[in-house]
Amino acid sequence: MTDPIIVVGAGQAGLQVAESLRQEKHEGPILLLGAEPHPPYNRPPLSKKWLQEPGEFNALLIRGSDAIARKNIELRTGVTVSAIDRAARRLHLVDGSKLAYSKLALATGARLRRLPVLGGDLAGVLGLRSLEDAAAIAAGLDSCRARGLPVVVIGGGFIGLEVAAAARKRDVAVTVLEGLPRLMSRVVAPIVSQAAERLHRSHGVGFVFEARVAGLAGDGGHVRAVHTADGREFPAGLVVTGIGIDAEDSLASAAGIACERGIIVDDCARTSDPLIVAAGDCCARRRADGSLLRLESVQNASEQGKAAAASLLGLEKPFTAAPWFWSDQYDVKFQMAGLSAGYDQVVTRGDLDKPAFSAYYFKAGKLVAVDSLNRIPDHMLARKLLDKAVALSPGQAADEGFDLGSPVRVPA
Ligand code: FAD
């Protein structure tokens, strides 16, 4: 019997690899291994709707076990791979057993960055990656509400802000401590940061910018307050850290696969080992100009998963589409398309105050990214404009009278 194609990591990307293998008509055995005790589930709701009103776990599932089995994919949950023996084409599992593979896909996701200060490991200091993390934060919010205690969120990025919104929805006081001078500053222009800040302040969130967290104080092992380097104390019944993630590339790097801030892959999700592909948050994609691109998004996990499955079967289906991402905060949908790094001009279209506007980022006159707040049609068009590299001037982007659909419409 042939050895299976094994996929390590039963998350968004791993499931996509396995399902795409079937879509590409692969008939041989597929084994999907996941360390978590659950079938693959959606993480985005964990900081959004689910955190506001925790519901049934089944509603989070991307696919149930039965549906996976019907595709003749063998899913084993609660299984952690501890090493890859590339010479013998074998995986070592933490329970001491070994599994042979014909080819391998790595979809091991990412791990949370921990707060590197004294008290960072106290009870009540939580990060958010898994269902269990979200359940612990939800319980912490309940407890804060019952005891009239505030929450401190460390990090004013997407996850931190979504947690802040969920806390306000549950009537818990929130202060966000952000190390930089504005919100989401690594990915959005000041105009978008300002709109987000206004939105959160209007819901009662407090902000401290350029905050340096010096340490956390506890009572009986549970966090009680956050101290900043300027001597201030922020009482907290719960501290949620949203300070980023690192690619989970430890298996790959220990096995000698090329890694740098993630498993290095090309546009077809191929690693430095011809028998091994990788997809999702664990990857860093080498681009044509030699730079490495790390994306942490559902789109990246799905599209790279499809490319990875094709590569395993000797096909070439590169993933090079413009990246996109979304975030829900209160009743505002933030949608980002493209990569704004290095932009030199931003113009806006729409109503900044509502907010219902889009920010168009240009680099040397070329459109490189669009952020939309409650402007879903703009976002959908932006993805097309960016994918087709359509020429659009800043003046056209800013002019509500200009039909943004016209440059991408196929002539009749
Ligand atoms: P994961 O979904 O993390 O799956 C990796 C799996 O591999 C995990 O289950 C892990 O346990 C397993 N694994 C790791 N090592 C091993 C091992 N050695 N053996 C066996 N199994 C292993 N993206 C968006 O586009 N929009 C959003 O609004 C959004 N919101 C988010 C909110 C939250 C709270 C989080 C956490 C993420 C959010 N994301 C969002 C990001 C998105 O969910 C991720 O990019 C996506 O889940 C990545 O999929 P993945 O398969 O690469 O990784």
Side-chain angles (χ1 to χ4, degrees), residues 27-231:
E27 289 177 355
I30 303 172
L31 182 53
L32 178 57
L33 304 176
E36 292 184 82
H38 317 288
Y41 61 95
N42 287 299
R43 294 183 200 277
L46 297 180
S47 50
K48 305 178 179 68
K49 199 165 179 278
W50 196 90
L51 194 57
Q52 291 166 20
E53 286 172 54
E56 286 288 306
F57 170 65
N58 281 351
L60 293 176
L61 289 179
I62 304 174
R63 210 78 70 227
S65 302
D66 291 351
I68 293 173
R70 276 199 297 279
K71 294 184 180 181
N72 201 16
I73 295 165
E74 186 185 350
L75 169 66
R76 289 196 212 160
T77 54
V79 172
T80 302
V81 175
S82 54
I84 306 167
D85 180 345
R86 292 199 289 143
R89 284 192 210 169
R90 258 201 306 263
L91 298 181
H92 294 230
L93 309 187
V94 286
D95 66 5
S97 60
K98 297 182 180 63
L99 289 170
Y101 63 84
S102 58
K103 292 188 179 174
L104 186 64
L106 298 174
T108 44
R111 54 179 179 269
L112 289 171
R113 282 189 203 136
R114 297 282 164 198
L115 204 57
V117 297
L118 200 66
D121 54 355
L122 283 164
V125 182
L126 303 171
L128 177 46
R129 181 76 195 168
S130 67
L131 175 68
E132 288 72 20
D133 296 334
I137 292 172
L141 289 174
D142 283 344
S143 161
C144 283
R145 185 177 164 167
R147 294 156 61 217
L149 292 171
V151 173
V152 172
V153 172
I154 301 179
F158 292 109
I159 302 273
L161 292 175
E162 288 177 351
V163 170
R168 290 308 299 135
K169 191 98 183 179
R170 286 158 162 256
D171 224 11
V172 177
V174 192
T175 301
V176 175
L177 306 181
E178 165 56 50
L180 293 168
R182 60 185 179 85
L183 299 174
M184 304 177 286
S185 58
R186 287 188 189 87
V187 276
V188 304
I191 201 129
V192 178
S193 301
Q194 287 152 12
E197 186 182 337
R198 277 197 305 275
L199 172 70
H200 280 270
R201 285 199 192 276
S202 74
H203 285 85
V205 176
F207 289 100
V208 178
F209 292 99
E210 299 184 76
R212 295 269 164 279
V213 174
L216 279 66
D219 263 344
H222 194 282
V223 71
R224 176 181 52 77
V226 179
H227 292 131
T228 49
D230 59 3

Side-chain angles (χ1 to χ4, degrees), residues 7 9-20 40-44 62 105-110 129 245 265 267-269 277-283 285 293-309 319 321-326:
V7 183
Q12 190 91 43
L15 177 66
Q16 186 67 61
V17 175
E19 294 193 331
S20 293
Y41 61 95
N42 287 299
R43 294 183 200 277
I62 304 174
L106 298 174
T108 44
R129 181 76 195 168
I245 54 176
V265 292
D267 291 342
C268 291
V277 295
D281 284 12
C282 62
C283 293
R285 174 154 48 109
L293 177 63
R294 276 231 349 97
L295 294 170
E296 298 153 8
S297 70
V298 168
Q299 177 222 16
N300 180 61
S302 305
E303 297 305 318
Q304 212 163 38
K306 292 177 195 168
F319 161 50
W324 55 263
F325 183 84
W326 80 94

